[in-house]
Amino acid sequence: MLTTLAVLIGLSGLVPAARAGGDEVDVTLVLAVDTSRSMDFEEIGIQREGYVEALKHKEFIDAVKGGLTGRIAISYFEWAGYVVQDSVIDWQVIETEEDAIAFAGKLEARPIATQRRTSISTAIAQGASMIVSSPFLSRRQVIDVSGDGPNNSGNPVTPTRDKAVEAGMIINGLAIMLRPSDAPNGLDKYYEDCVIGGPGAFVLPVRKIEDFAVAVRRKLVLEISGLSTPATVQKTAGAPPATDCLIGEKQWRDMFDR
């Protein structure tokens, strides 16, 4: 499996295998889930339960069935300062309730663990390479990033984001704001300016544990249906970032320069 966006960028002729006659789906969707140590085991457990519950929910399944083909392709991985390789759940077509429950079961069976640092750029690169190497043809390709802090490891996030968007992908975000983050103007604003991108890209903030499951479900339904998101923080085309997108890297460096 390709693991870096550098491969995607360097091989300009690389296209999804589906363009040679693979399966057609409405959306190829990668769930990229933060398991960095800034989140405790309770929060990661609630995050996991939120995704499992959302995937089994009737609203999610109805959104899948409501598309032109009535099917999507979905994959999943966890990340912190790097991609957790044994967390990768490869592509699965969701067409029926049984398909959704089976995928949720794979996710539910994963052990809960945390890792060091936060590399959103690595998460985007992994998601992009998984989409490029997928066997599906879709109208929309979406990388769904959830996280609770700014990028502080690996490559800067904005150039990686921009390359994925140039390749036709959409990056949406779930900003986990259960406790104060290192983003001075709020993590949702950081995600808006530095992480999300593509047509209709959006970020949903989660400020209370009890809101997590509903936010995940809402995000998945919006991504599958392609509906607009008037009540969320949405990317403004052409707007210059008001956020220092290197704030995480600078804070990490300052911590060790003291």
Side-chain angles (χ1 to χ4, degrees):
M1 177 179 291
L2 301 174
T3 56
T4 68
L5 193 57
V7 176
L8 168 63
I9 296 165
L11 300 177
S12 58
L14 188 61
V15 296
R19 296 182 184 176
D23 289 334
E24 184 177 357
V25 295
D26 291 313
V27 184
T28 44
L29 173 63
V30 182
L31 304 179
V33 176
D34 182 7
T35 55
S36 60
R37 288 179 182 167
S38 53
M39 297 173 64
D40 60 31
F41 277 85
E42 180 188 16
E43 290 171 343
I44 291 177
I46 290 168
Q47 177 178 235
R48 173 78 55 79
E49 290 170 9
Y51 278 96
V52 169
E53 181 180 322
L55 290 164
K56 293 179 179 179
H57 200 279
K58 183 179 183 298
E59 191 176 354
F60 168 76
I61 296 163
D62 286 347
V64 171
K65 293 180 178 179
L68 286 178
T69 69
R71 60 208 303 261
I72 69 167
I74 192 168
S75 59
Y76 171 96
F77 67 89
E78 295 166 1
W79 60 276
Y82 55 89
V83 173
V84 183
Q85 286 302 323
D86 67 359
S87 74
V88 177
I89 300 175
D90 208 357
W91 293 104
Q92 178 176 321
V93 172
I94 306 292
E95 190 170 10
T96 66
E97 182 180 5
E98 290 74 20
D99 295 333
I101 291 172
F103 190 84
K106 293 178 183 178
L107 179 53
E108 197 168 19
R110 284 229 7 99
I112 292 176
T114 60
Q115 297 80 33
R116 297 181 67 248
R117 305 290 293 271
T118 300
S119 184
I120 302 172
S121 59
T122 295
I124 293 173
Q126 173 74 12
S129 63
M130 289 174 72
I131 287 173
V132 165
S133 59
S134 80
F136 302 102
L137 176 64
S138 63
R139 300 191 330 276
R140 285 181 293 118
Q141 300 83 41
V142 180
I143 304 171
D144 177 332
V145 181
S146 69
D148 77 332
N151 195 79
N152 63 30
S153 179
N155 293 325
V157 65
T158 50
T160 309
R161 184 268 315 273
D162 292 345
K163 290 294 182 182
V165 171
E166 288 168 11
M169 300 172 198
I170 299 167
I171 303 168
N172 295 325
L174 186 73
I176 303 171
M177 304 171 67
L178 304 180
R179 60 184 69 182
S181 76
D182 294 329
N185 296 321
L187 189 64
D188 52 350
K189 183 62 175 172
Y190 174 88
Y191 264 66
E192 178 192 5
D193 286 342
C194 308
V195 178
I196 67 173
F202 65 89
V203 54
L204 283 177
V206 179
R207 295 182 171 87
K208 299 178 181 179
I209 286 179
E210 56 267 29
D211 295 339
F212 200 97
V214 173
V216 172
R217 184 171 74 247
R218 183 183 180 203
K219 178 166 58 72
L220 293 180
V221 168
L222 288 170
E223 288 167 335
I224 293 165
S225 64
L227 297 174
S228 61
T229 55
T232 69
V233 178
Q234 190 165 5
K235 189 76 173 178
T236 304
T243 301
D244 181 356
C245 294
L246 293 174
I247 186 64
E249 288 87 344
K250 291 175 181 176
Q251 290 172 340
W252 188 267
R253 183 188 61 214
D254 291 346
M255 182 170 65
F256 284 95
D257 284 347
R258 291 172 183 166

